[in-house]
Amino acid sequence: MKEKTMEFLKKNTMLIALILVMLLFHGLIVAGGKGSLFAPRNITNLIAQNAYVIILATGMLLCILTGGNIDLSIGSMVCLVAAIGATLIVRMHVNIYLGIAACILAGIALGAWQAFWIAYVRIPPFIVTLSGMLAFRGLALVLLGGQTISPIPAGFTRYFGSFIAGTGDPQTKLTTSLVVGVVVCAVIVLATFYARIGKIRKNYGVDSIVSFMARLVVICAVIMGAFYSFGRDRGIPVVLILLGVVVLAYYYYTSKTVPGRYLYAMGGNEKAAKLSGVNTNGVMFFAYANMGFLAAIAALVCLARFNSSFPDMGRNYELDAIGACFIGGASAYGGVGTVGGALIGTIFMGVLNNGMSILGVDQNYQQAVKGAVLLAAVIWDVVSKKRKNAA
Amino acid sequence: MSDTLLQLRGIIKEFPGVRALANVDMDVTEGEIHALVGENGAGKSTLMNVLSGIYPHGSYEGEIIYDGKLCRFSKIRDSERLGIVIIHQELALVPYMTIAENMFLGNERGSTFNLDWDETRAKADEFLSIVGLAESSQTPVKDISVGKQQLVEIAKALAKNVRLLILDEPTASLNENESQKLLDLLVRFRERGMTSILISHKLSEISQVADRITILRDGSAIETLTRGVDDIGEGRIIKGMVGREMTSRFPAREPNIGEVTFEVRDWTVHHQLYEERRVCENVNFNIRRGEVVGISGLMGAGRTELAMSIFGRSYGRNISGTIAVNGRELHLRSVREAIDNKIAYVTEDRKGNGLILSNTIRVNVTLANLGRVSSGKRLDMDLERQVALEYRDRLQIKCSTVEQNAENLSGGNQQKVLLSKWMFTEPDILILDEPTRGIDVGAKYEIYRIINDLVAEGKSVLFISSEMPELLGMCDRIYVMNEGRIVAELSRDEASQEAIMSSILRAEECGRR
């Protein structure tokens, strides 16, 4: 029993750390008489503020998995794609759907451009994406002419920045939110039960029914809490649906598909992967081209959130995404890391930002604290691995 | 008789599960060339690593007495300070630095914050002329040949005021002319009173220059031969090296050999980086159904290069020749195609090229054949787990669960996981490259049993090994390879350690003429 608890703690260190940090900030905020971290408005803010980071961190994770490679260009890519979108939709009055399609294609093209050099010519990713970071920002400035383009038509923002049932009266809003929450919970419960029954039928080992139920109850409680918050605030954020789709799709891709498996194999030992018949160049190309695709999605979200396209957009986004992956347990050498981890890493950073802002901590100190947390997370990762190897 | 410079007394060095050195005694007289010979794995390099402080005092038992004093080296620097310098088989030069910079790397002229480049260059030129290398000390090391690089290493040792020079296989990658130059240099040094220890597989060189020869076998010093007292001919040295009794270390097998399933003709491969060098030349061989065919040869004979170039061109350039499986000619352009044509290659370097150590046993076992555990591109993790469990039971992999990471397994169990991975691709032709390297005797026996099971199922096995006893114990036929060529084909009855060794030596004689 004790061993099992230890293993659970080890496996979920970051999740536990996240919960502790949330409780800590909650305590500080309540004690300071500044409301609550879990206030409905704040929960919605947390999601709106971090949606783009979650999307970018998911893409960055794939790059990191290929061997600790990072993509420095995504902040500039977000800026350039948003500038293209705003130019088309606002200045040239192109159809919104065409505009969105153009943005996504542009993102894929930018990603594929870099991916080609990285995967097939084997130019170090650091250098290729550093060049992209400079060049894409430059092109964005050219396109914007140094100006801000705003506002973005509501027809566009409603797909990325609005709320479901946001305009209804409080009672319908709450009811809608709770109903959707119950449906989500029901789907999760059914899916996990289905998987469990399948395993039992095939005589595979399963967790004890107690821990299985406990986990389900906790997950459902968190979901219902979140949806209750949405209901009490402005309704369900549309961007949440997008996030759900992205996170689930990439979770599935990395953990349950053959190409996903190749990603881990390549990062774990590229030579061994090659000798096992894996097309490692193709894997690398996909990771970086896909990063362009997700940067475009993030650009659309940002365009809606800021209701404008401006020259400084996306500054340092790459660092947020990289930081989130490493805090979430990705290895700096590649081959290790999960989408779930990157998600937890992002929320962790988000809570730090959000909590410190509410507490009124000086911006400069916030930066320092975030830096320290990133280093601490990676040190913990390296040291615990060393200890494991020594044992 | 001159004085004894070095005495090793009762050296014992153990690694987890292996006793690499068992009570080795060795004396080296000042001003002699002392040769150290033995098969791969006999403990030569381990002994030299103990002597030079790579394995620090305390990690071995026994005494090192150098120049009359008991020495306890805790790092290489300690031994170098006393003039003991070791030159390893893989040269330790920085390619983009000049000869002069390399020569004084770690031994810089001038002070820490003010390097004296003039002195560096002057000294470098001086030592270069001593070793007879006509190159400017300003030439980057990458621009000179391996033979010349070897001379730079020796000049570097001279710059450290060497008294005892240890050379580990210095001529392994040199041609005949360069080798002879190097040996002449050693003889010249001897005349000036320098002492050297020479480790070499090339016994003719040893017969030529050595004053005394210490023979290691299975981690023990068997005997020391002295020039002028004992016979130091090659035949005598071989007898000392291989004269071991064969016990039943191999599981019995009734050979049931069928038709030729795999045939390679006129296979020529050029070096991956140095395109003008041929690593395999006109290699011809075949394997029959249910047959274990061995490839013997010294390190650097081109066996791994041969295997990898056959396995979907995963090594080499300008590859020519034909491969036929069951009489049908195949053009394998990638590893994937090789796997699809039921060929498997189990690498000699299980950690570097074989396993993904940070992944679980389950992931490693299925990696080369994920198609079998997926529908569309969707993985069936339950089926995958079942496969892993099946191989765990079949090969008796000792692990807590198949979700354990490969890095936490012992060498023998890692090797079994690697074998599982390739057995799961259901090959007809299985190339095993040093499948028992670095694993203990018990695990070796289990690997041999697995090989026997595989050929009993009608598969064909190509077994590459540097350990002659295991080839003799396991193979139905043995090809001997030397310097990229097949130099002999021996049937089970003809094969013996002496026969293999002498065919290698014959080939080297021919090459020299």
Side-chain angles (χ1 to χ4, degrees), chain A residues 204 252 255-258 261-262 265 268-269 271-272 275-277, chain B residues 335 351-356 377-379 381-382 384 386 421-422:
Chain A
Y204 297 136
Y252 187 84
S255 61
K256 303 259 159 95
T257 70
V258 172
R261 177 64 59 77
Y262 286 166
N269 186 342
K271 281 195 248 166
L275 280 178
S276 304
Chain B
V335 171
K351 288 186 178 173
N353 291 341
L355 295 173
I356 297 172
K377 287 284 173 195
R378 206 181 77 86
L379 286 173
M381 308 276 235
D382 294 336
E384 195 182 19
Q386 216 168 22
K421 165 174 156 182
W422 289 106

PDB file of all heavy atoms in Angstrom, chain A residues 204 252 255-258 261-262 265 268-269 271-272 275-277, chain B residues 335 351-356 377-379 381-382 384 386 421-422:
ATOM      1  N   TYR A 204      -6.966  -8.612 -18.540  1.00  0.00           N
ATOM      2  CA  TYR A 204      -5.808  -7.788 -18.248  1.00  0.00           C
ATOM      3  C   TYR A 204      -5.953  -7.223 -16.843  1.00  0.00           C
ATOM      4  O   TYR A 204      -7.059  -7.085 -16.335  1.00  0.00           O
ATOM      5  CB  TYR A 204      -5.691  -6.633 -19.244  1.00  0.00           C
ATOM      6  CG  TYR A 204      -5.475  -7.093 -20.650  1.00  0.00           C
ATOM      7  CD1 TYR A 204      -6.165  -6.518 -21.700  1.00  0.00           C
ATOM      8  CD2 TYR A 204      -4.576  -8.121 -20.924  1.00  0.00           C
ATOM      9  CE1 TYR A 204      -5.977  -6.954 -22.991  1.00  0.00           C
ATOM     10  CE2 TYR A 204      -4.379  -8.564 -22.208  1.00  0.00           C
ATOM     11  CZ  TYR A 204      -5.075  -7.981 -23.245  1.00  0.00           C
ATOM     12  OH  TYR A 204      -4.882  -8.406 -24.513  1.00  0.00           O
ATOM     13  N   TYR A 252      -4.273  11.628 -28.053  1.00  0.00           N
ATOM     14  CA  TYR A 252      -4.511  10.370 -28.751  1.00  0.00           C
ATOM     15  C   TYR A 252      -3.359  10.068 -29.712  1.00  0.00           C
ATOM     16  O   TYR A 252      -2.829   8.957 -29.749  1.00  0.00           O
ATOM     17  CB  TYR A 252      -5.834  10.448 -29.509  1.00  0.00           C
ATOM     18  CG  TYR A 252      -6.230   9.143 -30.122  1.00  0.00           C
ATOM     19  CD1 TYR A 252      -6.897   8.192 -29.358  1.00  0.00           C
ATOM     20  CD2 TYR A 252      -5.921   8.844 -31.436  1.00  0.00           C
ATOM     21  CE1 TYR A 252      -7.241   6.970 -29.894  1.00  0.00           C
ATOM     22  CE2 TYR A 252      -6.259   7.628 -31.988  1.00  0.00           C
ATOM     23  CZ  TYR A 252      -6.920   6.696 -31.212  1.00  0.00           C
ATOM     24  OH  TYR A 252      -7.245   5.491 -31.740  1.00  0.00           O
ATOM     25  N   SER A 255      -0.154   9.030 -27.830  1.00  0.00           N
ATOM     26  CA  SER A 255      -0.135   7.837 -26.985  1.00  0.00           C
ATOM     27  C   SER A 255      -0.729   6.608 -27.649  1.00  0.00           C
ATOM     28  O   SER A 255      -0.447   5.496 -27.228  1.00  0.00           O
ATOM     29  CB  SER A 255      -0.861   8.115 -25.669  1.00  0.00           C
ATOM     30  OG  SER A 255      -2.200   8.438 -25.931  1.00  0.00           O
ATOM     31  N   LYS A 256      -1.528   6.788 -28.685  1.00  0.00           N
ATOM     32  CA  LYS A 256      -2.237   5.606 -29.186  1.00  0.00           C
ATOM     33  C   LYS A 256      -2.025   5.325 -30.671  1.00  0.00           C
ATOM     34  O   LYS A 256      -2.723   4.492 -31.228  1.00  0.00           O
ATOM     35  CB  LYS A 256      -3.748   5.781 -28.936  1.00  0.00           C
ATOM     36  CG  LYS A 256      -4.120   6.009 -27.490  1.00  0.00           C
ATOM     37  CD  LYS A 256      -4.652   4.753 -26.849  1.00  0.00           C
ATOM     38  CE  LYS A 256      -4.550   4.793 -25.357  1.00  0.00           C
ATOM     39  NZ  LYS A 256      -5.724   5.245 -24.658  1.00  0.00           N
ATOM     40  N   THR A 257      -1.129   6.033 -31.327  1.00  0.00           N
ATOM     41  CA  THR A 257      -0.975   5.758 -32.759  1.00  0.00           C
ATOM     42  C   THR A 257       0.468   5.396 -33.094  1.00  0.00           C
ATOM     43  O   THR A 257       1.385   5.669 -32.321  1.00  0.00           O
ATOM     44  CB  THR A 257      -1.342   6.991 -33.624  1.00  0.00           C
ATOM     45  OG1 THR A 257      -0.349   7.980 -33.435  1.00  0.00           O
ATOM     46  CG2 THR A 257      -2.704   7.541 -33.272  1.00  0.00           C
ATOM     47  N   VAL A 258       0.619   4.777 -34.247  1.00  0.00           N
ATOM     48  CA  VAL A 258       1.955   4.348 -34.678  1.00  0.00           C
ATOM     49  C   VAL A 258       2.890   5.550 -34.898  1.00  0.00           C
ATOM     50  O   VAL A 258       3.998   5.567 -34.372  1.00  0.00           O
ATOM     51  CB  VAL A 258       1.843   3.483 -35.948  1.00  0.00           C
ATOM     52  CG1 VAL A 258       3.222   3.185 -36.513  1.00  0.00           C
ATOM     53  CG2 VAL A 258       1.122   2.185 -35.637  1.00  0.00           C
ATOM     54  N   ARG A 261       4.058   6.862 -31.669  1.00  0.00           N
ATOM     55  CA  ARG A 261       5.063   6.006 -31.054  1.00  0.00           C
ATOM     56  C   ARG A 261       6.440   6.278 -31.654  1.00  0.00           C
ATOM     57  O   ARG A 261       7.455   6.299 -30.961  1.00  0.00           O
ATOM     58  CB  ARG A 261       4.650   4.544 -31.257  1.00  0.00           C
ATOM     59  CG  ARG A 261       5.611   3.517 -30.755  1.00  0.00           C
ATOM     60  CD  ARG A 261       5.784   3.574 -29.258  1.00  0.00           C
ATOM     61  NE  ARG A 261       4.567   3.385 -28.511  1.00  0.00           N
ATOM     62  CZ  ARG A 261       3.981   2.205 -28.302  1.00  0.00           C
ATOM     63  NH1 ARG A 261       4.497   1.122 -28.791  1.00  0.00           N
ATOM     64  NH2 ARG A 261       2.884   2.132 -27.599  1.00  0.00           N
ATOM     65  N   TYR A 262       6.483   6.514 -32.962  1.00  0.00           N
ATOM     66  CA  TYR A 262       7.749   6.787 -33.633  1.00  0.00           C
ATOM     67  C   TYR A 262       8.392   8.063 -33.105  1.00  0.00           C
ATOM     68  O   TYR A 262       9.614   8.197 -33.053  1.00  0.00           O
ATOM     69  CB  TYR A 262       7.541   6.897 -35.144  1.00  0.00           C
ATOM     70  CG  TYR A 262       7.300   5.570 -35.826  1.00  0.00           C
ATOM     71  CD1 TYR A 262       6.805   5.507 -37.117  1.00  0.00           C
ATOM     72  CD2 TYR A 262       7.572   4.381 -35.159  1.00  0.00           C
ATOM     73  CE1 TYR A 262       6.586   4.276 -37.737  1.00  0.00           C
ATOM     74  CE2 TYR A 262       7.352   3.162 -35.770  1.00  0.00           C
ATOM     75  CZ  TYR A 262       6.863   3.112 -37.060  1.00  0.00           C
ATOM     76  OH  TYR A 262       6.656   1.909 -37.657  1.00  0.00           O
ATOM     77  N   ALA A 265      10.144   7.107 -30.071  1.00  0.00           N
ATOM     78  CA  ALA A 265      11.269   6.237 -30.410  1.00  0.00           C
ATOM     79  C   ALA A 265      12.435   7.068 -30.923  1.00  0.00           C
ATOM     80  O   ALA A 265      13.580   6.885 -30.524  1.00  0.00           O
ATOM     81  CB  ALA A 265      10.846   5.220 -31.460  1.00  0.00           C
ATOM     82  N   GLY A 268      13.995   8.983 -28.096  1.00  0.00           N
ATOM     83  CA  GLY A 268      14.679   8.117 -27.139  1.00  0.00           C
ATOM     84  C   GLY A 268      16.008   7.622 -27.673  1.00  0.00           C
ATOM     85  O   GLY A 268      16.976   7.522 -26.940  1.00  0.00           O
ATOM     86  N   ASN A 269      16.067   7.283 -28.949  1.00  0.00           N
ATOM     87  CA  ASN A 269      17.300   6.783 -29.538  1.00  0.00           C
ATOM     88  C   ASN A 269      17.136   6.783 -31.054  1.00  0.00           C
ATOM     89  O   ASN A 269      16.598   5.848 -31.627  1.00  0.00           O
ATOM     90  CB  ASN A 269      17.590   5.367 -29.021  1.00  0.00           C
ATOM     91  CG  ASN A 269      18.944   4.863 -29.488  1.00  0.00           C
ATOM     92  OD1 ASN A 269      19.521   5.386 -30.436  1.00  0.00           O
ATOM     93  ND2 ASN A 269      19.448   3.847 -28.832  1.00  0.00           N
ATOM     94  N   LYS A 271      19.174   6.435 -33.541  1.00  0.00           N
ATOM     95  CA  LYS A 271      19.833   5.373 -34.307  1.00  0.00           C
ATOM     96  C   LYS A 271      19.042   4.075 -34.227  1.00  0.00           C
ATOM     97  O   LYS A 271      18.859   3.380 -35.221  1.00  0.00           O
ATOM     98  CB  LYS A 271      21.248   5.144 -33.777  1.00  0.00           C
ATOM     99  CG  LYS A 271      22.234   6.178 -34.283  1.00  0.00           C
ATOM    100  CD  LYS A 271      23.648   5.703 -34.030  1.00  0.00           C
ATOM    101  CE  LYS A 271      24.334   6.554 -33.008  1.00  0.00           C
ATOM    102  NZ  LYS A 271      25.547   6.001 -32.468  1.00  0.00           N
ATOM    103  N   ALA A 272      18.578   3.764 -33.009  1.00  0.00           N
ATOM    104  CA  ALA A 272      17.805   2.531 -32.842  1.00  0.00           C
ATOM    105  C   ALA A 272      16.504   2.619 -33.630  1.00  0.00           C
ATOM    106  O   ALA A 272      16.072   1.648 -34.243  1.00  0.00           O
ATOM    107  CB  ALA A 272      17.521   2.280 -31.367  1.00  0.00           C
ATOM    108  N   LEU A 275      17.229   1.988 -37.264  1.00  0.00           N
ATOM    109  CA  LEU A 275      17.492   0.570 -37.520  1.00  0.00           C
ATOM    110  C   LEU A 275      16.253  -0.284 -37.304  1.00  0.00           C
ATOM    111  O   LEU A 275      16.269  -1.476 -37.554  1.00  0.00           O
ATOM    112  CB  LEU A 275      18.631   0.072 -36.629  1.00  0.00           C
ATOM    113  CG  LEU A 275      20.031   0.416 -37.122  1.00  0.00           C
ATOM    114  CD1 LEU A 275      21.075  -0.067 -36.146  1.00  0.00           C
ATOM    115  CD2 LEU A 275      20.293  -0.194 -38.498  1.00  0.00           C
ATOM    116  N   SER A 276      15.178   0.317 -36.779  1.00  0.00           N
ATOM    117  CA  SER A 276      13.926  -0.418 -36.658  1.00  0.00           C
ATOM    118  C   SER A 276      12.993  -0.062 -37.804  1.00  0.00           C
ATOM    119  O   SER A 276      11.815  -0.382 -37.767  1.00  0.00           O
ATOM    120  CB  SER A 276      13.240  -0.106 -35.328  1.00  0.00           C
ATOM    121  OG  SER A 276      14.108  -0.380 -34.264  1.00  0.00           O
ATOM    122  N   GLY A 277      13.526   0.640 -38.796  1.00  0.00           N
ATOM    123  CA  GLY A 277      12.715   0.939 -39.970  1.00  0.00           C
ATOM    124  C   GLY A 277      11.878   2.193 -39.847  1.00  0.00           C
ATOM    125  O   GLY A 277      10.955   2.388 -40.628  1.00  0.00           O
TER     126      GLY A 277
ATOM    127  N   VAL B 335      15.874   0.168 -44.467  1.00  0.00           N
ATOM    128  CA  VAL B 335      15.689  -0.788 -43.384  1.00  0.00           C
ATOM    129  C   VAL B 335      14.283  -1.374 -43.444  1.00  0.00           C
ATOM    130  O   VAL B 335      14.075  -2.568 -43.251  1.00  0.00           O
ATOM    131  CB  VAL B 335      15.929  -0.091 -42.036  1.00  0.00           C
ATOM    132  CG1 VAL B 335      15.538  -0.994 -40.893  1.00  0.00           C
ATOM    133  CG2 VAL B 335      17.387   0.319 -41.908  1.00  0.00           C
ATOM    134  N   LYS B 351      22.815  -0.730 -26.502  1.00  0.00           N
ATOM    135  CA  LYS B 351      22.417   0.536 -25.885  1.00  0.00           C
ATOM    136  C   LYS B 351      22.418   1.679 -26.886  1.00  0.00           C
ATOM    137  O   LYS B 351      21.568   2.549 -26.860  1.00  0.00           O
ATOM    138  CB  LYS B 351      23.343   0.873 -24.718  1.00  0.00           C
ATOM    139  CG  LYS B 351      23.098  -0.037 -23.544  1.00  0.00           C
ATOM    140  CD  LYS B 351      23.911   0.390 -22.334  1.00  0.00           C
ATOM    141  CE  LYS B 351      23.581  -0.519 -21.166  1.00  0.00           C
ATOM    142  NZ  LYS B 351      24.433  -0.270 -20.028  1.00  0.00           N
ATOM    143  N   GLY B 352      23.421   1.684 -27.778  1.00  0.00           N
ATOM    144  CA  GLY B 352      23.534   2.792 -28.719  1.00  0.00           C
ATOM    145  C   GLY B 352      22.585   2.667 -29.894  1.00  0.00           C
ATOM    146  O   GLY B 352      21.932   3.637 -30.272  1.00  0.00           O
ATOM    147  N   ASN B 353      22.503   1.461 -30.485  1.00  0.00           N
ATOM    148  CA  ASN B 353      21.723   1.312 -31.713  1.00  0.00           C
ATOM    149  C   ASN B 353      20.505   0.418 -31.566  1.00  0.00           C
ATOM    150  O   ASN B 353      19.737   0.287 -32.504  1.00  0.00           O
ATOM    151  CB  ASN B 353      22.599   0.702 -32.815  1.00  0.00           C
ATOM    152  CG  ASN B 353      23.672   1.648 -33.277  1.00  0.00           C
ATOM    153  OD1 ASN B 353      23.581   2.843 -33.053  1.00  0.00           O
ATOM    154  ND2 ASN B 353      24.691   1.115 -33.895  1.00  0.00           N
ATOM    155  N   GLY B 354      20.373  -0.224 -30.416  1.00  0.00           N
ATOM    156  CA  GLY B 354      19.340  -1.247 -30.333  1.00  0.00           C
ATOM    157  C   GLY B 354      18.098  -0.818 -29.597  1.00  0.00           C
ATOM    158  O   GLY B 354      17.018  -0.734 -30.179  1.00  0.00           O
ATOM    159  N   LEU B 355      18.249  -0.500 -28.322  1.00  0.00           N
ATOM    160  CA  LEU B 355      17.077  -0.271 -27.490  1.00  0.00           C
ATOM    161  C   LEU B 355      16.831   1.218 -27.276  1.00  0.00           C
ATOM    162  O   LEU B 355      17.727   2.030 -27.399  1.00  0.00           O
ATOM    163  CB  LEU B 355      17.278  -0.919 -26.118  1.00  0.00           C
ATOM    164  CG  LEU B 355      17.373  -2.437 -26.128  1.00  0.00           C
ATOM    165  CD1 LEU B 355      17.735  -2.932 -24.749  1.00  0.00           C
ATOM    166  CD2 LEU B 355      16.067  -3.055 -26.583  1.00  0.00           C
ATOM    167  N   ILE B 356      15.577   1.526 -26.968  1.00  0.00           N
ATOM    168  CA  ILE B 356      15.253   2.863 -26.516  1.00  0.00           C
ATOM    169  C   ILE B 356      15.149   2.752 -25.011  1.00  0.00           C
ATOM    170  O   ILE B 356      14.153   2.302 -24.464  1.00  0.00           O
ATOM    171  CB  ILE B 356      13.979   3.348 -27.186  1.00  0.00           C
ATOM    172  CG1 ILE B 356      14.278   3.422 -28.679  1.00  0.00           C
ATOM    173  CG2 ILE B 356      13.551   4.694 -26.637  1.00  0.00           C
ATOM    174  CD1 ILE B 356      13.130   3.703 -29.527  1.00  0.00           C
ATOM    175  N   LYS B 377      -3.682   3.184 -38.309  1.00  0.00           N
ATOM    176  CA  LYS B 377      -2.498   3.671 -37.611  1.00  0.00           C
ATOM    177  C   LYS B 377      -2.744   3.650 -36.109  1.00  0.00           C
ATOM    178  O   LYS B 377      -1.979   4.197 -35.336  1.00  0.00           O
ATOM    179  CB  LYS B 377      -2.175   5.105 -38.070  1.00  0.00           C
ATOM    180  CG  LYS B 377      -1.606   5.164 -39.476  1.00  0.00           C
ATOM    181  CD  LYS B 377      -0.157   4.731 -39.510  1.00  0.00           C
ATOM    182  CE  LYS B 377       0.357   4.633 -40.929  1.00  0.00           C
ATOM    183  NZ  LYS B 377       1.606   3.894 -41.023  1.00  0.00           N
ATOM    184  N   ARG B 378      -3.866   3.019 -35.707  1.00  0.00           N
ATOM    185  CA  ARG B 378      -4.236   3.055 -34.308  1.00  0.00           C
ATOM    186  C   ARG B 378      -3.606   1.879 -33.573  1.00  0.00           C
ATOM    187  O   ARG B 378      -3.776   0.725 -33.971  1.00  0.00           O
ATOM    188  CB  ARG B 378      -5.751   2.964 -34.185  1.00  0.00           C
ATOM    189  CG  ARG B 378      -6.324   3.572 -32.947  1.00  0.00           C
ATOM    190  CD  ARG B 378      -7.830   3.381 -32.968  1.00  0.00           C
ATOM    191  NE  ARG B 378      -8.168   2.013 -32.614  1.00  0.00           N
ATOM    192  CZ  ARG B 378      -8.315   1.593 -31.365  1.00  0.00           C
ATOM    193  NH1 ARG B 378      -8.181   2.426 -30.363  1.00  0.00           N
ATOM    194  NH2 ARG B 378      -8.623   0.341 -31.110  1.00  0.00           N
ATOM    195  N   LEU B 379      -2.873   2.187 -32.506  1.00  0.00           N
ATOM    196  CA  LEU B 379      -2.225   1.128 -31.750  1.00  0.00           C
ATOM    197  C   LEU B 379      -3.237   0.399 -30.878  1.00  0.00           C
ATOM    198  O   LEU B 379      -4.089   1.022 -30.259  1.00  0.00           O
ATOM    199  CB  LEU B 379      -1.150   1.721 -30.845  1.00  0.00           C
ATOM    200  CG  LEU B 379       0.131   2.191 -31.505  1.00  0.00           C
ATOM    201  CD1 LEU B 379       0.987   2.910 -30.483  1.00  0.00           C
ATOM    202  CD2 LEU B 379       0.876   1.014 -32.092  1.00  0.00           C
ATOM    203  N   MET B 381      -3.067  -1.169 -27.686  1.00  0.00           N
ATOM    204  CA  MET B 381      -2.128  -1.306 -26.567  1.00  0.00           C
ATOM    205  C   MET B 381      -2.322  -2.621 -25.820  1.00  0.00           C
ATOM    206  O   MET B 381      -1.366  -3.158 -25.273  1.00  0.00           O
ATOM    207  CB  MET B 381      -2.330  -0.162 -25.585  1.00  0.00           C
ATOM    208  CG  MET B 381      -2.290   1.178 -26.247  1.00  0.00           C
ATOM    209  SD  MET B 381      -0.631   1.717 -26.416  1.00  0.00           S
ATOM    210  CE  MET B 381      -0.763   3.260 -25.612  1.00  0.00           C
ATOM    211  N   ASP B 382      -3.550  -3.121 -25.804  1.00  0.00           N
ATOM    212  CA  ASP B 382      -3.792  -4.373 -25.087  1.00  0.00           C
ATOM    213  C   ASP B 382      -3.083  -5.528 -25.787  1.00  0.00           C
ATOM    214  O   ASP B 382      -2.411  -6.341 -25.162  1.00  0.00           O
ATOM    215  CB  ASP B 382      -5.302  -4.645 -25.013  1.00  0.00           C
ATOM    216  CG  ASP B 382      -6.002  -3.599 -24.162  1.00  0.00           C
ATOM    217  OD1 ASP B 382      -5.313  -3.006 -23.315  1.00  0.00           O
ATOM    218  OD2 ASP B 382      -7.199  -3.392 -24.355  1.00  0.00           O
ATOM    219  N   GLU B 384      -0.560  -5.201 -27.715  1.00  0.00           N
ATOM    220  CA  GLU B 384       0.860  -4.941 -27.580  1.00  0.00           C
ATOM    221  C   GLU B 384       1.399  -5.514 -26.267  1.00  0.00           C
ATOM    222  O   GLU B 384       2.442  -6.152 -26.216  1.00  0.00           O
ATOM    223  CB  GLU B 384       1.064  -3.423 -27.616  1.00  0.00           C
ATOM    224  CG  GLU B 384       2.486  -3.013 -27.852  1.00  0.00           C
ATOM    225  CD  GLU B 384       2.643  -1.507 -27.829  1.00  0.00           C
ATOM    226  OE1 GLU B 384       1.761  -0.802 -27.295  1.00  0.00           O
ATOM    227  OE2 GLU B 384       3.655  -1.032 -28.341  1.00  0.00           O
ATOM    228  N   GLN B 386       0.075  -7.898 -24.583  1.00  0.00           N
ATOM    229  CA  GLN B 386       0.031  -9.347 -24.656  1.00  0.00           C
ATOM    230  C   GLN B 386       1.277  -9.893 -25.364  1.00  0.00           C
ATOM    231  O   GLN B 386       1.872 -10.874 -24.917  1.00  0.00           O
ATOM    232  CB  GLN B 386      -1.209  -9.738 -25.452  1.00  0.00           C
ATOM    233  CG  GLN B 386      -1.867 -10.965 -24.955  1.00  0.00           C
ATOM    234  CD  GLN B 386      -3.243 -11.121 -25.600  1.00  0.00           C
ATOM    235  OE1 GLN B 386      -3.516 -10.569 -26.674  1.00  0.00           O
ATOM    236  NE2 GLN B 386      -4.103 -11.858 -24.940  1.00  0.00           N
ATOM    237  N   LYS B 421      12.469  -8.159 -29.868  1.00  0.00           N
ATOM    238  CA  LYS B 421      12.044  -7.161 -30.840  1.00  0.00           C
ATOM    239  C   LYS B 421      12.204  -7.693 -32.249  1.00  0.00           C
ATOM    240  O   LYS B 421      11.323  -7.520 -33.090  1.00  0.00           O
ATOM    241  CB  LYS B 421      12.878  -5.904 -30.628  1.00  0.00           C
ATOM    242  CG  LYS B 421      12.830  -4.905 -31.748  1.00  0.00           C
ATOM    243  CD  LYS B 421      13.591  -3.661 -31.327  1.00  0.00           C
ATOM    244  CE  LYS B 421      14.086  -2.885 -32.515  1.00  0.00           C
ATOM    245  NZ  LYS B 421      14.855  -1.716 -32.095  1.00  0.00           N
ATOM    246  N   TRP B 422      13.322  -8.349 -32.501  1.00  0.00           N
ATOM    247  CA  TRP B 422      13.559  -8.820 -33.867  1.00  0.00           C
ATOM    248  C   TRP B 422      12.874 -10.133 -34.151  1.00  0.00           C
ATOM    249  O   TRP B 422      12.489 -10.400 -35.286  1.00  0.00           O
ATOM    250  CB  TRP B 422      15.053  -8.857 -34.163  1.00  0.00           C
ATOM    251  CG  TRP B 422      15.546  -7.458 -34.262  1.00  0.00           C
ATOM    252  CD1 TRP B 422      16.301  -6.791 -33.346  1.00  0.00           C
ATOM    253  CD2 TRP B 422      15.226  -6.507 -35.279  1.00  0.00           C
ATOM    254  NE1 TRP B 422      16.486  -5.488 -33.731  1.00  0.00           N
ATOM    255  CE2 TRP B 422      15.834  -5.294 -34.921  1.00  0.00           C
ATOM    256  CE3 TRP B 422      14.483  -6.561 -36.453  1.00  0.00           C
ATOM    257  CZ2 TRP B 422      15.729  -4.139 -35.694  1.00  0.00           C
ATOM    258  CZ3 TRP B 422      14.372  -5.430 -37.229  1.00  0.00           C
ATOM    259  CH2 TRP B 422      14.993  -4.233 -36.839  1.00  0.00           C
TER     260      TRP B 422
END
